[in-house]
Amino acid sequence: MAPSPTGSIHIGNARTALYNYLLARQCEGTFVLRIEDTSRERSTPEFEQAVLDGLGWLGMDWDEGPNAGGDYGPYRQSERLATHKEWLEKLTAAGHTYRCFCTREELAEDRKVAQKEDRAPKYSGKCRDLDANEVDARLEAGEEAALRFRVEPRAVTFDDLILGQLEEDAGLWGDFIVGRSDGTPVYNFAVVVDDHLMAITDVVRGGDHISNTFKQIVMYEALGLAPPRFGHMPLTLNAKRQKLSKRDDSVAVEEYREQGYLPAAVVNFIALLGWNPGDERELFTMDELIETFRIERVTKSNAIFDFDRLDWFNGTYIRQLEVAELARLAKPFIEAAGLTIPDEDYLERAVALEQERIKRLADFPEALRFFLVEEVTPDMKFLVKKNGTTEETAAALSTVFELVQDFGVDDMAAMEENLRAMAEALGWKAGELFMPIRVAITGSKASPPLFDTMRVLGRARVLSRLRDAMRMLAKDAQDAAYGQSN
RNA sequence: GGCGCAUUCGUCUAGUGGCCCAGGACAUCGCCCUCUCAAGGCGAAGAUCGCGGGUUCGAAUCCCGCAUGCGCUACCA
C-alpha cells in the first residue's frame, strides 16, 4: 500500500488498502506501507500521521512501514532519492534514456497545437537523436535538460489480477520523462525502483493507474527486472458518479470516525463495495474477510458510495456491541456536545435504551439529552392528550404524579399495571395516557419504552418533570382563559 | 481528440448458454408486533440485463458495431 500523505486518508484509498491488506494476510505475506511523498509541496508530516492513524483505526496493521521498520527501508519515498538517482543512472547506462532540452513552454505549445489538430499530444522526439557532443556542450553551458525514456513502439500487455488481460500500444505514448531537469526522478520511475527493491510481489491500486502500469512494465523490462503482479481496482464514485474528491465529498476516514461510525462497520461496508463472497453473507469481521476474500471476485465496474447502506451496517454493528463498550464509545461524543455524565452506571443504563435506536455514535448526544439535562421543554402541542383538553391532561398527570410518589419508579410491571388501570378508568386508550407522560418526562414524542425510561430517569427526576409539565399546562389554561375574556 | 476500462432494480451486487419473464442486501412503501420511536418479522413495488445486429433449438451470459459513463492523456502523485 502506497498512499500519498497529501491529506487524511481517503475512503477510496482505504478500500484499496483493505484489499491489499486482505490479500497480504490471507497468503501470510507482508503488508508494506510506503509513503509516497515525492510531491514535497503537498506532503506534510501531519498528513502522514493522519494516514497512519486512519489505517490503524480501521484495524489494518502493517508489517513494514515508516514506523514499523523492515528490511527494505526507508519507507518514505522522499528518503530514497539517492537510490532512485542511482537507478536512473543504470537506466541511462543501459542506453534507455536521452537528454531533452525542450522547455516546458515548448512542450505545452506542442501539446496545444496537437490538440487543436486533433492529434494525440505525444512528444515529438525532437531531442531523441541529438549528437552526444552537442548534448555535452549544452549541458556544459548550463542548459537544463530532462531525462527521457526511449519508448520502442510495441504492444505492452499484462495479466491484471482483477481486469484480466490488458494491452496498450506503446507507439502511442512518445518518449516520456523519467528524470526531471533538477535530477529528481519522476514518480512513475521511483515506484518501479521501490517496488523492485522492496521485493513487492503484488501491487493492487486504483484503476486510475492503469496507464502508469503499462509504462512501468516497459521500465521493468529496460532494467532487466521482472515486474510484480498488478491488480487495478474499480474506482469509488460519489452520487454524481465522479471519482470521490476531497473538495465536495465526505471522503476522509477521519470524518467517519468523527461522525461515530465504527471501524468494523466501515471495513465491512467498503469490503463489500466491489467485492462479494459469492453467497449471500454480508456481515464479516476482519478475520472472516481475510479468510473469504478473493481478488478474482472483485468487481470490474466502478461503485457509487451509498451512505444509507453504510448507516445500516453501522446500526447493526452498534446493536451487536456490549452495552458497556457502547457506553465507553459514546462518552466522548456526549462530552463533546457539552453534556455531563453523572456516573458510568447511569450512562450505561441510558445507552442501553438507545442502542437499537441509533445509527451513529454522534447521534447519542441528541438521543440521550433528556437523560442528562436538568429540565426538559415539552412541546405543548404533544403534551396535551390527543383530542383532549389541557385540563384533563393536567388532571391525569397529577394522578400519575401521585402514583409515582407512592410507588416509585423501579417496579415497571406495577407501574404499567397502575397506569393501564388508570387509563381504563378514564376511558382513555393506554397510548393516550402514555404520550403526555412521555412528552412530559422526555420532552419528545419519540423515546424508548416509557417504563424503562422512567426507571432509568429515577423517581426524583420523573416527579420534577411531571410537576413542570403540570405547571406548563396550568399556565396555558390560564392564558387561554384570558384570551377568551378579552 | 487518442488510449484504456466498464455498462444487471434508485444504490451495492448474484449471475460464466437452458435451474432467470433475473436472486439477495440497502433505501422506499404496506402489514404484523407495539405505549411512541426504533429494532425485529412478513410482504409489495422496483431491472424489456445500455442500444442494434449476429451465433445458437435456446443468450444477461458468446461475437461484432454503436452509445453512454468513468479514468488516463504533466519535468503531479
Side-chain angles (χ1 to χ4, degrees):
Chain A
M1 181 58 198
S4 314
T6 56
S8 137
I9 193 161
H10 183 289
I11 197 79
N13 299 146
R15 187 173 65 128
T16 309
L18 178 65
Y19 288 10
N20 272 286
Y21 177 78
L22 296 177
L23 205 57
R25 285 288 169 266
Q26 74 182 192
C27 66
E28 282 162 20
T30 309
F31 182 49
V32 182
L33 184 64
R34 182 175 71 227
I35 302 294
E36 314 226 303
D37 56 351
T38 31
S39 167
R40 304 300 285 160
E41 327 77 57
R42 290 194 281 154
S43 307
T44 71
E46 290 73 34
F47 284 148
E48 180 183 315
Q49 192 54 48
V51 168
L52 264 36
D53 288 346
L55 252 23
W57 180 68
L58 288 171
M60 292 179 238
D61 47 316
W62 47 98
D63 306 304
E64 295 179 21
N67 55 356
D71 299 337
Y72 302 95
Y75 292 92
R76 247 182 297 264
Q77 221 162 34
S78 61
E79 293 166 10
R80 306 175 59 82
L81 188 62
T83 312
H84 297 150
K85 285 185 174 173
E86 231 172 78
W87 281 81
L88 215 42
E89 274 159 34
K90 285 194 197 191
L91 194 66
T92 300
H96 292 289
T97 69
Y98 62 87
R99 298 281 174 181
C100 170
F101 293 95
C102 299
T103 63
R104 286 166 218 255
E105 292 71 35
E106 286 170 338
L107 261 18
E109 184 59 27
D110 284 353
R111 254 196 305 276
K112 233 167 79 184
V113 172
Q115 212 157 46
K116 214 169 142 190
E117 292 174 3
D118 273 358
R119 291 182 355 249
K122 113 181 197 189
Y123 178 60
S124 65
K126 195 168 159 191
C127 302
R128 191 175 225 250
D129 299 312
L130 249 33
D131 181 75
N133 295 328
E134 183 188 343
V135 170
D136 289 344
R138 290 172 77 170
L139 248 22
E140 197 75 17
E143 231 184 291
E144 291 212 322
L147 201 61
R148 275 189 195 271
F149 182 86
R150 274 179 210 279
V151 175
E152 304 307 331
R154 62 170 180 111
V156 183
T157 63
F158 71 98
D159 191 19
D160 191 278
L161 260 12
I162 295 167
L163 266 13
Q165 200 69 23
L166 259 33
E167 179 177 323
E168 194 167 88
D169 178 6
L172 266 12
W173 303 340
D175 301 332
F176 54 87
I177 289 175
V178 286
R180 287 182 269 253
S181 46
D182 65 2
T184 61
V186 129
Y187 156 84
N188 219 23
F189 179 73
V191 166
V192 169
V193 173
D194 290 343
D195 283 346
H196 168 250
L197 257 23
M198 291 181 175
I200 302 297
T201 55
D202 297 84
V203 175
V204 176
R205 58 180 30 155
D208 47 352
H209 280 283
I210 295 176
S211 26
N212 284 335
T213 300
F214 287 111
K215 290 175 181 144
Q216 289 175 17
I217 285 173
V218 168
M219 291 189 277
Y220 274 106
E221 289 173 7
L223 290 168
L225 305 172
R229 284 183 288 266
F230 293 103
H232 292 91
M233 310 233 324
L235 269 13
T236 49
L237 272 26
N238 62 21
K240 291 187 307 219
R241 293 165 193 279
Q242 290 159 334
K243 197 163 87 155
L244 287 173
S245 86
K246 290 174 187 171
R247 271 195 58 208
D248 43 41
D249 302 296
S250 286
V251 115
V253 167
E254 181 86 21
E255 284 180 63
Y256 293 89
R257 193 204 321 217
E258 283 165 7
Q259 286 177 55
Y261 287 96
L262 268 23
V266 174
V267 164
N268 199 150
F269 171 69
I270 60 180
L272 253 27
L273 201 64
W275 170 81
N276 70 81
D279 53 42
E280 282 169 0
R281 284 176 297 167
E282 49 186 2
L283 260 17
F284 294 90
T285 62
M286 189 68 100
D287 285 342
E288 288 166 339
L289 285 173
I290 290 169
E291 198 178 314
T292 46
F293 180 77
R294 291 284 108 88
I295 192 141
E296 315 84 68
R297 287 199 60 89
V298 171
T299 311
K300 295 180 181 179
S301 53
N302 296 343
I304 295 170
F305 196 99
D306 180 7
F307 291 91
D308 282 332
R309 197 164 151 80
L310 207 212
D311 280 349
W312 176 75
F313 275 109
N314 208 51
T316 60
Y317 276 91
I318 282 181
R319 272 170 254 129
Q320 282 178 7
L321 252 27
E322 295 290 332
V323 178
E325 172 68 359
L326 182 58
R328 194 181 63 75
L329 293 170
K331 204 171 167 183
F333 287 85
I334 294 163
E335 287 169 342
L339 294 166
T340 43
I341 297 163
D343 66 87
E344 303 293 320
D345 183 57
Y346 182 74
L347 176 65
E348 265 185 43
R349 295 202 293 150
V351 162
L353 293 186
E354 292 293 353
Q355 181 166 25
E356 68 187 28
R357 282 157 243 277
I358 239 83
K359 283 195 161 68
R360 304 167 311 152
L361 298 175
D363 296 336
F364 267 120
E366 191 52 36
L368 294 183
R369 173 166 217 95
F370 73 88
F371 280 114
L372 301 169
V373 111
E374 266 318 304
E375 288 179 5
V376 111
T377 48
D379 184 337
M380 256 307 168
K381 204 163 78 198
F382 303 115
L383 182 56
V384 178
K385 176 195 174 242
K386 201 177 170 195
N387 300 321
T389 65
T390 50
E391 286 81 4
E392 59 183 340
T393 306
L397 288 185
S398 162
T399 311
V400 174
F401 185 93
E402 282 162 30
L403 270 171
V404 173
Q405 205 165 36
D406 294 349
F407 298 100
V409 100
D410 290 334
D411 188 340
M412 297 202 302
M415 176 63 67
E416 177 159 8
E417 204 179 317
N418 284 331
L419 290 181
R420 283 189 189 279
M422 179 184 157
E424 202 176 344
L426 250 25
W428 295 4
K429 280 189 255 178
E432 292 176 324
L433 174 61
F434 294 176
M435 186 50 86
I437 303 173
R438 161 176 292 111
V439 174
I441 66 173
T442 71
S444 162
K445 60 179 178 147
S447 83
L450 189 57
F451 310 110
D452 298 88
T453 304
M454 288 169 83
R455 189 158 78 133
V456 171
L457 271 170
R459 182 170 177 273
R461 219 175 319 221
V462 170
L463 286 175
S464 88
R465 287 186 187 174
L466 285 171
R467 187 174 328 149
D468 291 345
M470 281 149 59
R471 285 207 189 102
M472 268 186 84
L473 290 167
K475 184 169 182 296
D476 186 70
Q478 209 172 42
D479 291 351
Y482 279 128
Q484 260 171 13
S485 59
N486 288 347

